[in-house]
Structures are given as C-alpha cells and as structure tokens.
Amino acid sequence: MTQENREAYFELSRLPKFEYYAKPRTSCSLVTNVCELLRCKETDAALCLCGREEKYRRGEVSDFEYFKELLLSLPTLKGTHVFDLLHITLLELCGEELASRKSFSEEDICLLWAAANEKIFELCGGDHNELLKKYNVEKLYRCSVDDENKECDEKCHTSDKCEALVFDFKGLDFIRPDPYHYKLATEKKNRGEKLNNDEKSIILAQEIYLLLSDKSRGKIQLHLRCDENTDTAKDIINYLKDRKFSLDIFLAFSGEGSVEKLISLCLMSDENIRIYPEIVITKTDSFENLKRRLRLLFGAYPAENIRFGGAVTDSPTFFFEHILFVRALYSVLFEIENDEQKAYEKVRKILR
C-alpha cells in the first residue's frame, strides 16, 4: 500500500457515518475492555466454527479468555468477514506493528489487550456514545416492528437536512394496509401478543403510508430492506407510485442479491420516485468478497449513484464495517479509474 493510499484511507474512514441497519447491543453503553467491543453473534459463531469449546458461546469465560481465543483463532479465520473486521479493529486500537502479525504469542496477546484497552480509555473514557462521536457516527437508526419504539432512534446528533425512514421487510410479503387491520394489529402488539408476518407487514406498510402522507415533513429518504427475490420490494414500490408519493428509495443490496434483479427495481424509477442501490454488509462480506461484488455491480450500474447503508450486525464496533467498505470501494474505484484522486473524489461523493 502506497503512502498516498494510506492517507486516502485514513481521511475517507473519518468521514461522517450514517448507519441504518446495525443493531448493536444496548448493554454496551459502558465499555471497560476491548472484548466488550469485539464480541457479537458473529464472533461467537466464528469460534464455534473453529471448533472451540461451547463455553465461549455461552459466555462462561472471562473477557480476556474470550479475546485470547479469538486471536488464537485468527489464522483459521483468514479470508472471512470476521478476520477482516478483527484486523481493522486491532489496527485502529493497537497500531500496525502489533496488529499485523501473522500469529500471536501469549505475550503478544497480553500486549494487544493492554494497548487496546488503553486506547479505548484514551478515546472515550469507556463511554460508547463518545466512541461513536470519535469515529464521526452522525446517526444510528433503529426501526423495526419488533422494537418498542417504532420511530427512528437517534443515538448521535445530526445536521442532515433529509429525513431518513428505515424499514426492514426481510422475511415478509407486502400486505396492502388499511386503517382497520392496522388498528387490530397495533392493538395486538400493544397487548404484548406475538404478531404473525402479515400483521407485521401491515404495521410497517401503514407506518410508511402515514409518514409519507404527513405534509409537514421535508425531503424523505426511504431505506428499505427486503428479501433478495425482489417481489416484496416491487410491490412496495408500486404501492407508493400509485399514491403519487415523491421520495428517494434506497434498496438494501447484500452479497446474496442478484445485480440483474436489483437493476430491474432501479429501473422502476419515475419522475416522483428515484430508486438507488444501497450496499449493506453481511457476514459473507470479507474484504475480497466485497470487492468482487462491487466489481459486478459497477459492471452494470454507475458507481457514483450507489450509497452505503451499513452492516447487519449486533457488534458495538459496527462503524468499523464502514472502514472495511471504504477500503474495498476505494480499491475497486482505483482499478477502474487508474487515478488516485478520481477514485478518492468518487468515494467522497458516494459517502456524502
């Protein structure tokens, strides 16, 4: 990596970060050590896949023991999403000299533990919200029919002029809403009863309708996650077009999706509704896989018109997924442009 690339990566990784799909553990408001930042469902699963004892998944070990086992597992995990995220985290918290070793001795692990914990305290004094601000996380959205609060939950201040609405229809068919069935479904939800998928879809769809019908709102961005077969997304788009709403729709696009199907949805754009792909990182997105799918997308869709939606994760360090994306995006755009400055400017435009 050239010095110019290093500087570009650093500058781009410190740009404002808007996250729409991460749901970090709410218990992580106070961070006492690096393991509390690293541990998530994905690292638990990675240790299981590496053949580690079940006690690591059950949380029956100390934070240091868990951290140690993760680092000892890194050679086995090389090439995976978990490996790349752990590597970025260690680079950010411990520096390149310590983090870039191919394997770690007992002494190395103790040094990394101490260095990472010291850096966390230096950055935020253990306050996770302060850490988000250090990494320029402007807004963290949570919006789900299963959450107690159906509205977007702002974790950090933002000066964004557009109002972003986030709706996750993954696993749901679109059910055309009406006030009567919406009332029944919300009453059931408020009683604490479990909703079926049709009721969840009705609530989400009616919430979208009510929010978009509110004339007091300014410019709207609808961030929409659906199944990769595209039928639900197509039904939602047609429903909104029939009602003549004016908005931008950003469709979550993961590694499971087909570029051809995604573009067919983007081509449903008209004078009122514009539809754009929004890259969302999932557990199959290693650095190399992410570059591969960006190349496939850019083979059929103009790179400047994509956006980044964030990561489907419960990790408190979800913002390091943004750094992973920036590095993959810059690398691919540099291949296309063969010009560092042009690649840098395009990344800035995509992340605006």
Side-chain angles (χ1 to χ4, degrees), residues 111-341:
L111 287 172
L112 285 161
W113 173 262
N117 292 341
E118 184 179 337
K119 186 65 175 180
I120 291 167
F121 185 79
E122 176 190 321
L123 285 170
C124 66
D127 186 330
H128 187 247
N129 285 331
E130 284 300 314
L131 188 62
L132 296 185
K133 291 176 184 178
K134 287 290 183 183
Y135 278 90
N136 216 357
V137 179
E138 292 254 347
K139 212 170 210 181
L140 170 61
Y141 297 88
R142 294 187 64 192
C143 193
S144 167
V145 71
D146 294 320
D147 289 341
E148 290 182 8
N149 179 10
K150 297 190 294 294
E151 298 295 329
C152 296
D153 182 13
E154 298 182 15
K155 300 296 184 185
C156 295
H157 173 72
T158 181
S159 58
D160 185 23
K161 294 178 182 177
C162 295
E163 182 163 9
L165 309 176
V166 188
F167 286 87
D168 190 343
F169 277 84
K170 192 167 178 64
L172 302 176
D173 294 326
F174 174 73
I175 306 296
R176 189 176 292 266
D178 62 78
Y180 174 70
H181 288 97
Y182 172 69
K183 180 174 180 289
L184 292 180
T186 32
E187 286 175 349
K188 183 177 177 180
K189 177 180 182 293
N190 292 337
R191 291 194 301 268
E193 297 177 30
K194 187 174 181 179
L195 300 176
N196 62 39
N197 284 348
D198 284 359
E199 290 165 334
K200 290 179 181 180
S201 180
I202 287 170
I203 288 178
L204 289 173
Q206 184 70 359
E207 289 291 335
I208 292 176
Y209 173 79
L210 293 173
L211 289 165
L212 293 177
S213 298
D214 183 352
K215 303 302 182 184
S216 67
R217 295 179 183 273
K219 185 173 175 59
I220 296 291
Q221 292 180 355
L222 177 61
H223 298 260
L224 190 61
R225 185 180 180 218
C226 301
D227 285 323
E228 306 299 346
N229 65 14
T230 72
D231 289 342
T232 299
K234 190 178 298 183
D235 289 344
I236 293 171
I237 292 166
N238 282 327
Y239 173 77
L240 297 177
K241 287 173 74 172
D242 288 346
R243 276 142 191 79
K244 306 299 182 186
F245 287 126
S246 180
L247 72 156
D248 291 335
I249 298 177
F250 295 90
L251 289 175
F253 179 61
S254 74
E256 301 170 359
S258 157
V259 170
E260 185 177 349
K261 287 181 178 180
L262 175 71
I263 290 176
S264 71
L265 292 172
C266 292
L267 289 172
M268 293 178 70
S269 298
D270 61 17
E271 63 275 10
N272 294 318
I273 293 179
R274 300 300 304 175
I275 303 159
Y276 304 94
E278 183 166 71
I279 304 298
V280 175
I281 293 182
T282 60
K283 59 187 176 183
T284 60
D285 281 315
S286 65
F287 181 65
E288 292 301 324
N289 282 355
L290 188 51
K291 288 197 297 182
R292 191 176 299 116
R293 73 180 181 99
L294 286 172
R295 291 188 192 105
L296 283 173
L297 179 58
F298 296 161
Y301 189 89
E304 291 183 15
N305 286 347
I306 72 160
R307 290 294 179 268
F308 180 60
V312 181
T313 181
D314 69 335
S315 170
T317 52
F318 63 89
F319 44 89
F320 287 148
E321 307 265 8
H322 291 241
I323 297 175
L324 176 67
F325 173 73
V326 162
R327 293 183 177 181
L329 179 63
Y330 181 82
S331 177
V332 171
L333 290 177
F334 178 69
E335 291 173 9
I336 294 170
E337 298 290 346
N338 197 27
D339 183 292
E340 290 177 350
Q341 187 59 34

Side-chain angles (χ1 to χ4, degrees), residues 7 38-39 54 88 135 183 205 293 329 333 342:
E7 292 173 0
L38 291 177
R39 185 172 182 180
E54 185 65 18
I88 285 175
Y135 278 90
K183 180 174 180 289
R293 73 180 181 99
L329 179 63
L333 290 177
K342 286 182 179 179

Side-chain angles (χ1 to χ4, degrees), residues 21-176:
Y21 293 101
K23 293 186 178 180
R25 301 190 316 274
T26 54
S27 60
C28 197
S29 57
L30 181 64
V31 183
T32 61
N33 64 65
V34 64
C35 181
E36 293 174 346
L37 289 180
L38 291 177
R39 185 172 182 180
C40 60
K41 290 179 182 177
E42 200 172 344
T43 56
D44 284 350
L47 288 177
C48 178
L49 295 174
C50 287
R52 306 301 181 183
E53 294 178 51
E54 185 65 18
K55 64 183 180 180
Y56 293 99
R57 296 181 75 188
R58 291 196 299 258
E60 296 173 353
V61 297
S62 70
D63 286 348
F64 177 76
E65 287 177 288
Y66 190 95
F67 176 77
K68 176 182 175 182
E69 208 64 25
L70 267 181
L71 266 59
L72 292 175
S73 302
L74 280 181
T76 308
L77 291 169
K78 192 164 186 179
T80 68
H81 179 235
V82 169
F83 177 93
D84 290 334
L85 260 295
L86 288 174
H87 183 61
I88 285 175
T89 304
L90 294 176
L91 281 173
E92 289 287 324
L93 297 179
C94 305
E96 190 165 1
E97 183 181 349
L98 273 177
S100 296
R101 299 177 185 182
K102 293 182 179 179
S103 61
F104 299 105
S105 66
E106 294 272 353
E107 183 182 359
D108 293 334
I109 292 170
C110 290
L111 287 172
L112 285 161
W113 173 262
N117 292 341
E118 184 179 337
K119 186 65 175 180
I120 291 167
F121 185 79
E122 176 190 321
L123 285 170
C124 66
D127 186 330
H128 187 247
N129 285 331
E130 284 300 314
L131 188 62
L132 296 185
K133 291 176 184 178
K134 287 290 183 183
Y135 278 90
N136 216 357
V137 179
E138 292 254 347
K139 212 170 210 181
L140 170 61
Y141 297 88
R142 294 187 64 192
C143 193
S144 167
V145 71
D146 294 320
D147 289 341
E148 290 182 8
N149 179 10
K150 297 190 294 294
E151 298 295 329
C152 296
D153 182 13
E154 298 182 15
K155 300 296 184 185
C156 295
H157 173 72
T158 181
S159 58
D160 185 23
K161 294 178 182 177
C162 295
E163 182 163 9
L165 309 176
V166 188
F167 286 87
D168 190 343
F169 277 84
K170 192 167 178 64
L172 302 176
D173 294 326
F174 174 73
I175 306 296
R176 189 176 292 266

